[in-house]
Amino acid sequence: EAQVTQNPRYLITVTGKKLTVTCSQNMNHEYMSWYRQDPGLGLRQIYYSMNVEVTDKGDVPEGYKVSRKEKRNFPLILESPSPNQTSLYFCASSSSGQTKETQYFGPGTRLLVL
Amino acid sequence: SQQGEEDPQALSIQEGENATMNCSYKTSINNLQWYRQNSGRGLVHLILIRSNEREKHSGRLRVTLDTSKKSSSLLITASRAADTASYFCAIILSGSARQLTFGSGTQLTVLP
């Protein structure tokens, strides 16, 4: 089944404790992206990757890192999480074919930083 | 902000009625997309309309785009309780790669 998976789905952590949220897609998509969703603000892009070893900042990259060593994986790293990073995070991917602008979303990771 | 802005923020209708949601944006776009999100879950792509298109249909969905007014509308006909969800418009700016810029969404509630 074609899908985008994220782990963990739920995470409670404390300020300053490094964490990684994994994202994997099995559709051989070139483009991958991370978003955060906060009430009243919609989805805001954190980072995106056009292909392996190519990453760029989105609208709200501060406090986050990403890497794209393999086509299928695009982990989101919070080196020193802070309470303002409490949010719902979504990973998404899209292909290079005719539907390249259509993005497929993962189920989300709900993060609480105490 | 260049993001799409949906209107209304919340909409409550009876099953069987039509639901109309609007989206406005501020700059030139490559295309505009509508996504649906059930509570706390991932977004699901509904329909994409390109800047040179004016109207598209998909099942009970009808999307219009007016680039002169920089606005789009999503019409859901004969709504069902299962249509209850948040609906987001998202734009890809002209000259942009595949970066989607989302609005804050319309919460649709369809009452049985």
Side-chain angles (χ1 to χ4, degrees):
Chain A
E1 180 190 353
Q3 60 182 353
V4 179
T5 57
Q6 297 178 224
N7 282 292
R9 295 289 315 279
Y10 304 91
L11 180 61
I12 301 175
T13 189
V14 295
T15 298
K17 185 177 182 182
K18 181 179 178 180
L19 67 91
T20 299
V21 184
T22 64
C23 173
S24 182
Q25 49 92 5
N26 63 0
M27 296 170 278
N28 201 36
H29 285 173
E30 294 176 347
Y31 181 90
M32 297 185 75
S33 180
W34 275 103
Y35 297 88
R36 62 177 287 173
Q37 184 177 27
D38 302 288
L41 296 177
L43 277 83
R44 294 178 293 167
Q45 190 178 50
I46 303 170
Y47 270 94
Y48 66 97
S49 170
M50 297 295 289
N51 213 326
V52 176
E53 301 290 1
V54 180
T55 62
D56 276 297
K57 296 177 181 179
D59 297 320
V60 287
E62 295 78 19
Y64 304 94
K65 284 176 56 178
V66 293
S67 69
R68 188 89 182 275
K69 293 184 170 58
E70 306 164 283
K71 199 171 188 179
R72 63 182 293 127
N73 296 323
F74 189 44
L76 178 69
I77 303 155
L78 283 71
E79 295 268 5
S80 183
S82 62
N84 64 12
Q85 292 178 298
T86 292
S87 188
L88 179 56
Y89 291 87
F90 290 101
C91 180
S93 70
S94 67
S95 72
S96 58
Q98 284 202 346
T99 57
K100 62 182 180 182
E101 296 96 343
T102 299
Q103 295 194 14
Y104 298 83
F105 282 80
T109 294
R110 193 170 290 279
L111 172 65
L112 173 61
V113 183
L114 300 173
Chain B
S1 168
Q2 298 163 334
Q3 68 185 24
E5 295 292 342
E6 288 93 341
D7 170 58
Q9 290 187 336
L11 178 61
S12 184
I13 59 173
Q14 294 291 329
E15 204 164 29
E17 295 181 337
N18 296 341
T20 300
M21 289 159 269
N22 302 297
C23 172
S24 60
Y25 56 91
K26 296 181 179 178
T27 189
S28 295
I29 62 171
N30 181 298
N31 65 66
L32 184 145
Q33 305 178 34
W34 286 91
Y35 286 80
R36 165 197 169 118
Q37 182 183 33
N38 287 85
S39 180
R41 304 185 69 173
L43 280 75
V44 175
H45 179 262
L46 294 176
I47 198 165
L48 179 154
I49 186 165
R50 301 192 184 281
S51 59
N52 61 353
E53 297 175 314
R54 292 297 166 257
E55 186 171 315
K56 284 189 84 168
H57 297 256
S58 177
R60 293 184 294 113
L61 305 180
R62 173 179 168 250
V63 169
T64 61
L65 178 65
D66 186 336
T67 52
S68 65
K69 295 181 179 178
K70 293 185 168 55
S71 68
S72 173
S73 67
L74 170 67
L75 168 67
I76 304 174
T77 60
S79 63
R80 306 166 182 167
D83 293 328
T84 294
S86 292
Y87 292 82
F88 294 87
C89 70
I91 58 175
I92 290 189
L93 302 176
S94 294
S96 171
R98 276 171 256 181
Q99 293 171 260
L100 281 173
T101 302
F102 284 85
S104 54
T106 293
Q107 172 61 50
L108 173 66
T109 302
V110 181
L111 303 169

